[in-house]
Amino acid sequence: MTRTFALLALFAVALTSFLTVNAAFRALNTVAPELGLSSLNWKNSPYSPQSPDAPVRTAQQRADTQRWQELGRAAGKALWRSSLTAAFFSFLLAVVLAAIVTSQITRPLSRLADAARRLEAGERNLQLPIPPRQDEVRDLTLTFNSLTTSLGRQEAWRRGLMADIAHDLRTPLSVLRSEIEAMQDGVNPTDDAGLLRLHGEVLLLARLVTDLRTLSLAESGAMDFHVQVLDAAEVLRGLLPGYQRQAAEVGVTLTLSAPVPVALSADPDRLMQVLHNLLSNALRYAAPGPVELSAYSEGQWACLRVRDHGPGFRPDDLSRAFERFYRADASRTRDPGGLRSSGLGLAIARALTEAQGGQIEAKNHPAGGAEFTVRLPGGEVEPG
């Protein structure tokens, strides 16, 4: 880039010098008649001895003509020397200015290139100084800083995720190991109760692995969806019978409000998985009290709502409701059936909903309790 600026400066200086010399000679030609000369081209001048129109001149006139010729040649040489000197110093000045401007432009670009290499090598949380000028280089630097900040957050999130996965896997494995070793040492009897405890931990491990795989497929877009037009009201009616017994065991009353058909487009199996996770969450944290299920239309969306009358979300819990492995109350980690939760239910519900072009929202109801709303693209229910 420096060489380019230098060549452009050299071209500009040469062009300026040529125009300057040309203008000077034009000025001399303009002044020449006032001095008794018709032109600085002495061969074509009437006073030139070679001119056919040259009049008969006296010795004094010939001496004057020769003197003006010498004066013109001297003036031309002086102009050329002045122009070359000016061109030389102008070129030096242009090169210096070009080097300064180029360094100001290339310095942040060099910093960006060096930071990109460090980022490629694994360094995170790089922040470059912001150039003062409002130009494209400043925008590029701001974008790079934003990128590194986002990568740093992703790296921290990934480390936290791996730690959470390791913790949630280590807990049931530790329980299994201690139970088996106690049975081997004769401390605990190998009876049905002990085998049932071992079976519960194995089920938790299997559910955790299955949930992780489901979440990974949904977030990466690798899951297949068989979208159909469904009636949201019928989907909720089909969901209730499977939860009536669990709800009764924890003192929860299930109610349904879906007076009219509500058409939506979704994969029926994945939609049921979303609703299972939401309803299981309501039974786990809202008992005792009623849990309301409803279906309604909202513009282009078909909405399914699950609302409980429990304590609702605390502010910190609400902002983290859909995070992986996040539990609002760590002391309440068991499902109504006595099995521990994997901590991935709401994260899976969000991933499955968004993968089908929908939205999911969690908030506190004004009258109390937590409320989850699933919005999916509407459709047209076929007449039965």
Side-chain angles (χ1 to χ4, degrees):
M1 183 176 291
T2 305
R3 290 193 298 269
T4 302
F5 272 108
L7 291 175
L8 291 176
L10 180 60
F11 175 76
V13 169
L15 180 61
T16 304
S17 301
F18 172 78
L19 294 177
T20 302
V21 173
N22 185 61
F25 275 103
R26 286 179 178 272
L28 286 176
N29 284 326
T30 303
V31 176
E34 301 295 331
L35 301 175
L37 304 174
S38 63
S39 174
L40 289 179
N41 189 356
W42 302 102
K43 292 184 179 181
N44 297 326
S45 172
Y47 294 94
S48 175
Q50 290 81 11
S51 173
D53 299 327
V56 178
R57 294 173 293 170
T58 64
Q60 180 64 37
Q61 289 176 332
R62 287 194 297 270
D64 291 340
T65 300
Q66 185 176 4
R67 182 169 56 86
W68 285 117
Q69 289 176 344
E70 293 175 354
L71 179 63
R73 285 193 293 270
K77 291 179 181 180
L79 281 174
W80 277 111
R81 284 196 298 269
S82 300
S83 299
L84 291 176
T85 303
F88 176 73
F89 285 106
S90 299
F91 175 73
L92 289 181
L93 179 61
V95 169
V96 172
L97 293 178
I100 295 174
V101 174
T102 302
S103 64
Q104 291 179 351
I105 295 176
T106 58
R107 188 180 299 115
L109 294 178
S110 300
R111 285 198 297 261
L112 281 169
D114 179 66
R117 286 190 291 268
R118 292 161 58 190
L119 187 66
E120 183 183 10
E123 188 175 348
R124 296 293 182 265
N125 298 323
L126 295 171
Q127 292 293 301
L128 299 178
I130 306 300
R133 298 188 306 276
Q134 299 290 337
D135 55 9
E136 292 79 2
V137 177
R138 176 187 174 91
D139 295 338
L140 182 60
T141 305
L142 290 172
T143 303
F144 181 85
N145 287 344
S146 176
L147 172 65
T148 56
T149 301
S150 177
L151 288 176
R153 286 197 300 263
Q154 291 291 329
E155 190 72 20
W157 174 83
R158 189 179 297 108
R159 288 195 297 266
L161 174 62
M162 296 303 297
D164 290 337
I165 292 175
H167 176 270
D168 276 53
L169 287 175
R170 184 172 60 247
T171 301
L173 288 174
S174 299
V175 173
L176 283 172
R177 177 182 177 181
S178 62
E179 288 281 351
I180 293 174
E181 289 178 349
M183 291 179 182
Q184 289 175 337
D185 295 338
V187 178
N188 291 339
T190 309
D191 53 8
D192 292 341
L195 293 176
L196 183 61
R197 290 194 301 271
L198 295 178
H199 184 256
E201 299 300 330
V202 171
L203 290 179
L204 175 61
L205 280 172
R207 187 166 64 254
L208 178 61
V209 173
T210 301
D211 288 349
L212 283 171
R213 182 177 183 276
T214 300
L215 185 59
S216 176
L217 290 175
E219 290 184 342
S220 64
M223 180 174 289
D224 294 329
F225 291 93
H226 304 283
V227 178
Q228 302 177 18
V229 177
L230 307 171
D231 182 2
E234 291 297 326
V235 171
L236 293 178
R237 291 190 188 98
L239 180 68
L240 286 181
Y243 281 89
Q244 292 291 354
R245 181 178 176 180
Q246 296 180 17
E249 291 176 353
V250 295
V252 170
T253 303
L254 299 177
T255 62
L256 173 62
S257 175
V260 297
V262 178
L264 59 85
S265 299
D267 184 311
D269 295 333
R270 301 306 178 187
L271 177 59
M272 290 298 292
Q273 189 173 1
V274 171
L275 295 175
H276 279 306
N277 290 344
L278 295 181
L279 191 52
S280 297
N281 182 80
L283 296 180
R284 186 181 306 115
Y285 293 106
V291 173
E292 303 171 359
L293 285 76
S294 58
Y296 58 94
S297 297
E298 188 179 85
Q300 62 178 352
W301 300 104
C303 302
L304 298 94
R305 185 176 63 185
V306 178
R307 183 211 164 182
D308 61 57
H309 288 72
F313 291 100
R314 293 175 297 186
D316 293 340
D317 295 335
L318 185 58
S319 62
R320 304 181 60 186
F322 296 101
E323 288 187 10
R324 301 176 180 183
F325 298 106
Y326 183 76
R327 299 181 178 91
D329 189 350
S331 65
R332 302 172 64 190
T333 57
R334 291 193 172 271
D335 290 327
L339 298 175
R340 277 175 294 186
S341 166
S342 67
L344 295 172
L346 294 181
I348 291 175
R350 181 180 65 177
L352 291 177
T353 301
E354 293 178 351
Q356 299 180 83
Q359 303 171 356
I360 188 169
E361 177 188 16
K363 65 179 181 180
N364 287 321
H365 194 276
E371 178 180 291
F372 291 90
T373 303
V374 177
R375 295 181 177 87
L376 290 166
E380 184 177 350
V381 178
E382 298 179 1

